[in-house]
Every structure is written in structure tokens, then in C-alpha cells.
Amino acid sequence: MYTASSPVSAPARPLRPRGTAGGPYLAPLPGATAQGPGRPRRPAGPGGQPVSGRIDLSGPQGAQVRMAIASVQRICPEFNPVQVLRRSSRSVLIVGMTGRTTAVAKCLLDHSPAWTERFRHEIAAYRAFVRHRPPVRAPRLIAADPENCTLVIERMPGRVAALTRHPVEAPPRADLRAVLGAVSRINEWRPQAGLFEAPLDYASRISRYHELGLFTDRDLGDLQKLLHGLAHAGGRQGMGQFCHGDALLSNILLSPTGPVLVDWEHAGWYLPGYDLATLWTVLGSVPGARRQISQLAQARGTAARDAFLVNLMLVLTREIRTYETAVQRTMREPGPATATQDRPGALFSGEEQRLLLRRLHDDCAMARRAVRAAVGTR
């Protein structure tokens, strides 16, 4: 029988982050004279602090930034760029001012179909929030261009709940309560029909992982049995649950007025417990938090428990694939790692990545045993 002690008690192995990568709304802005197109106004934005910084427009990367700024100013002419917060192979984030408001502009650089679809999904989420505010705080939409994959939103005040994808240290209890409270509120929300879709095809994803050799034949059969049972569960659990879809602590800001959720590119309808499965996965160094998450996941009965376990197997397997790729990249490219949003494993050295990967495999084995126990009770 699956209990609160099932997938929660794996021994935590210490990992030392090589650096931190704050979310796009929190990167510190060093005081400096602005350089680049225009000069920022001094009035403070929503965070109560003026922004200042420097933009390097030289070289090939500078050319990309100039193109991004031009794309932003086509839809938001008053946007006054101040500093590049983050740049990766896929996107660039620029902080600036729009009148008295501090804003963040996000521009897609990689226009491949998958990333374009994800970016447009995020724009659609922010547009939906204009008409139907969610029960948690989210950045306000300022301007968007789905065709050119450009988005401008307000820069929210607060501190990030955790700077890394897999936090090394346990967050304070008050922070964890705030995070779980915010996630629970968004999971209880029932937005108007048609606003959001289901980003994840469970049957297809399970079959794909089986074809890739990530799931055994028994995993495939067990998960299909749980899915079949959930499809016939009916009621609220059978209809699904609205989820943020990427409920990492690095996507949650904590402010005196309450938590703020950012990066809504995966928002939509999932089996119940997807956000909780994400939090359980990344809080491997915090057994107490995992126990609390597990209790929340199964508080509503057998259907909620089964949905959580299906989500957990998928999320853990995805993380394993991510960090296996990171370890292979480290072996091919030794040297200092660069932390970017699309390379989460770069926050750790090769040895630390291997330790994390070992823990994820242990967690997946624990979840697999819980799935088999759940199937045995049906």
C-alpha cells in the first residue's frame, strides 16, 4: 500500500552548487550608467527600486540583442532597455522601463517548431490572465507578439524561493508553506473552459519512454492500468487539474504580499498532482518536505494517489534524461560549466551531476515500487 513514507525517504546526498541562476525577474542589477539605446528613467518600478545597468551591443551576441530590442520596441515603443538578464541559445531576457513600470522582455532566438509552440503557449497564458485572474499573483502582461515570439511583462518584486533547480539546502518552513499554499491554490482553480489545453499526452509520453528503453514492459503495463483506472474515475479527479506545469522553486518569488508564480509556458490541464510531483522531484535533499508533499498528494483518495504516481514517474524520468545529457556533455566538454535555463545540469560539476543522477535513479526505483503497490490494490 502506498503510504506517506513511500517515495519520500530516499537519503539525501549533499550537492554543492557551482553557481546560482536566478529567475528572469530577480537577477540583481548592478548600479551603473546605462549604455545602449536610450537611458532608463529613474522612478522606481513595482519593486520599489530603480533599475540601472549596462548592455553590451558589440559582436555577434550584441547583434542578437539589438534585434531583440527592435522586436520589443515594435510592440512596446516606450520600452527602454537597461540590462540583459539572461541569454541562452534559445532566448534572451532584457529588463527595462515602460514609463514608471519595470518590465521584462523575453524574445525567442530559436524559432524551431517546439520552442515556438511553447513560447506562444506562454503568451496565451498571460493573455488569459488579463481576463481571468488566477488565484495567485502573476506578472501583468504589457505587450506580446506571438508571430515574432516576443513578450513584455511587468517585473515582479520579491526573492526567488530557490536559486537552483534542485536546492541543496532545505528552504525555511515558512517559505515551503508559502510555496505549497500557492501551488494548492492554483491547482484548485477552475479557469473558464477553452482558455487552456492539456500540454501533456500521457499515453503518448508513456509509450515514448518505453520505446526509448526508459520504461520496462512492466512499467508500461502498470502505468497504463493506472491511466485506465483514472479515465474511469469520473468526478473531479477524472476531469484533471489545472497546473502551473513547471512548479520549480526557481519559478516562485516570495514577497511580503504573497508568492508570485512566473514562467507559465507549461500551464494547462494535467492529471491531478503534476505540480506536486515536480516539487517532490526537485526537493530530494529535503525529506521532510517530500513527506508533506506526499501527504497532500494522497489526501483526496485513491484516484489522487494514482494520478500523482503517474506524474511522478514521468517527471523523474524526464529529469533523469536531462541530467544524463548533462553528464555526457560534461564528459565531452570538460571545464567550467555555464548555468543557463536550458542547461540546468550546468549548475553542478561532473561529479555532482553524477551524484544527483544517482539520487534520481534511486527516487525512480522508489516511485516504481509505489506504482506496483498501487496497481496491486486496484
Side-chain angles (χ1 to χ4, degrees), residues 214-229:
L214 303 172
F215 285 161
T216 66
D217 290 345
R218 182 168 181 181
D219 292 336
L220 176 66
D222 287 346
L223 291 171
Q224 287 177 337
K225 288 177 183 177
L226 292 184
L227 278 184
H228 181 76

Side-chain angles (χ1 to χ4, degrees), residues 13 16 110 114 156 178 187 199 208 225 238 250 279 347 374:
R13 295 180 174 88
R16 300 184 307 278
D110 179 355
M156 302 296 287
N187 293 161
R208 180 186 174 198
K225 288 177 183 177
S250 55
L279 286 170
L347 289 173

Side-chain angles (χ1 to χ4, degrees), residues 108-169:
L108 192 65
L109 302 177
D110 179 355
H111 287 266
S112 60
W115 288 100
T116 297
E117 180 182 1
R118 180 183 297 184
F119 199 98
R120 290 173 179 170
H121 184 88
E122 184 174 14
I123 290 176
Y126 282 115
R127 284 181 168 174
F129 294 160
V130 172
R131 303 185 300 275
H132 304 275
R133 296 298 298 174
V136 297
R137 297 183 67 206
R140 179 178 59 86
L141 176 67
I142 296 175
D145 181 1
E147 292 302 317
N148 292 315
C149 293
T150 304
L151 173 67
V152 184
I153 56 178
E154 68 174 324
R155 186 171 190 256
M156 302 296 287
R159 59 182 176 83
V160 72
L163 292 171
T164 56
R165 187 179 184 90
H166 291 261
V168 177
E169 298 181 357

Side-chain angles (χ1 to χ4, degrees), residues 275-300:
D275 285 341
L276 291 178
T278 299
L279 286 170
W280 191 97
T281 296
V282 300
L283 287 172
S285 298
V286 194
R290 282 187 157 187
R291 189 174 303 110
Q292 188 174 351
I293 292 167
S294 181
Q295 291 169 347
L296 284 173
Q298 57 183 326
R300 295 192 174 183

Side-chain angles (χ1 to χ4, degrees), residues 82-341:
V82 175
Q83 188 185 33
V84 174
L85 292 184
R86 190 183 74 220
R87 177 170 45 211
S88 72
S89 62
R90 296 192 173 99
S91 64
V92 59
L93 289 135
I94 304 168
V95 68
M97 301 294 295
T98 58
R100 295 179 60 87
T101 300
T102 312
V104 171
K106 181 177 181 181
C107 300
L108 192 65
L109 302 177
D110 179 355
H111 287 266
S112 60
W115 288 100
T116 297
E117 180 182 1
R118 180 183 297 184
F119 199 98
R120 290 173 179 170
H121 184 88
E122 184 174 14
I123 290 176
Y126 282 115
R127 284 181 168 174
F129 294 160
V130 172
R131 303 185 300 275
H132 304 275
R133 296 298 298 174
V136 297
R137 297 183 67 206
R140 179 178 59 86
L141 176 67
I142 296 175
D145 181 1
E147 292 302 317
N148 292 315
C149 293
T150 304
L151 173 67
V152 184
I153 56 178
E154 68 174 324
R155 186 171 190 256
M156 302 296 287
R159 59 182 176 83
V160 72
L163 292 171
T164 56
R165 187 179 184 90
H166 291 261
V168 177
E169 298 181 357
R173 291 183 179 179
D175 289 1
L176 184 60
R177 283 197 301 271
V179 166
L180 291 178
V183 169
S184 295
R185 287 194 298 277
I186 199 66
N187 293 161
E188 291 288 337
W189 190 39
R190 309 295 292 183
Q192 181 178 323
L195 284 181
F196 294 92
E197 299 178 353
L200 178 58
D201 184 332
Y202 281 87
S204 176
R205 182 67 58 86
I206 290 170
S207 296
R208 180 186 174 198
Y209 283 171
H210 177 253
E211 291 170 0
L212 292 172
L214 303 172
F215 285 161
T216 66
D217 290 345
R218 182 168 181 181
D219 292 336
L220 176 66
D222 287 346
L223 291 171
Q224 287 177 337
K225 288 177 183 177
L226 292 184
L227 278 184
H228 181 76
L230 289 167
H232 291 81
R236 185 163 185 164
Q237 300 296 344
M239 293 169 59
Q241 181 184 73
F242 183 78
C243 293
H244 176 275
D246 198 21
L248 305 171
L249 272 68
S250 55
N251 285 335
I252 301 175
L253 315 183
L254 301 174
S255 72
T257 54
V260 181
L261 272 64
V262 299
D263 287 352
W264 292 86
E265 59 192 27
H266 299 284
W269 295 96
Y270 294 80
L271 288 178
Y274 188 87
D275 285 341
L276 291 178
T278 299
L279 286 170
W280 191 97
T281 296
V282 300
L283 287 172
S285 298
V286 194
R290 282 187 157 187
R291 189 174 303 110
Q292 188 174 351
I293 292 167
S294 181
Q295 291 169 347
L296 284 173
Q298 57 183 326
R300 295 192 174 183
T302 302
R305 176 204 68 186
D306 291 352
F308 173 71
L309 288 174
V310 172
N311 286 320
L312 194 58
M313 283 292 290
L314 292 179
V315 172
L316 282 166
T317 303
R318 181 200 64 201
E319 290 294 294
I320 289 171
R321 292 188 71 200
T322 297
Y323 283 91
E324 283 181 340
T325 302
V327 168
Q328 293 169 0
R329 183 185 296 117
T330 300
M331 294 175 66
R332 292 194 308 266
E333 307 170 8
T338 301
T340 64
Q341 188 75 2

